[in-house]
Amino acid sequence: SAEWGGQMELQALAFSLKRTVRVYCADLPLVELGSEYINEGEPLQLAYLRHAYGLGEHYNSLVKFPVRKVEDDRDVDES
């Protein structure tokens, strides 16, 4: 649908889950909602995309990319 949530809904999500929500966008500063919950667990991280791939404005969830150690102590991507 063309309906989607915005900053007010993300603030409500942060409050109800008691988690910080971080929103990243390539051409905007970081938006952090629910910063009072920073010690409650890992922040939820979202990417805000404007008109990517013809989908219109939307959010994608972000996760940390796993890194493993190799014998000579270099970090290596898990790809």
Side-chain angles (χ1 to χ4, degrees):
S1 84
E3 303 274 335
W4 59 281
Q7 190 163 343
M8 186 173 14
E9 288 81 6
L10 292 175
Q11 184 67 48
L13 181 69
F15 177 76
S16 64
L17 296 177
K18 306 239 182 298
R19 297 282 291 277
T20 298
V21 177
R22 291 183 178 152
V23 182
Y24 300 89
C25 182
D27 57 350
L28 296 171
L30 172 69
V31 174
E32 190 168 87
L33 306 160
S35 57
E36 63 270 28
Y37 306 117
I38 195 66
N39 296 322
E40 300 297 323
E42 285 289 317
L44 304 175
Q45 299 186 90
L46 303 173
Y48 172 68
L49 304 169
R50 303 178 189 216
H51 315 296
Y53 310 110
L55 299 173
E57 297 174 318
H58 67 281
Y59 296 93
N60 282 347
S61 62
L62 301 173
V63 295
K64 290 183 179 179
F65 194 80
V67 175
R68 65 180 172 86
K69 295 281 188 180
V70 293
E71 290 181 24
D72 64 359
D73 292 329
R74 290 179 297 135
D75 291 339
V76 176
D77 292 340
E78 286 284 323
S79 53

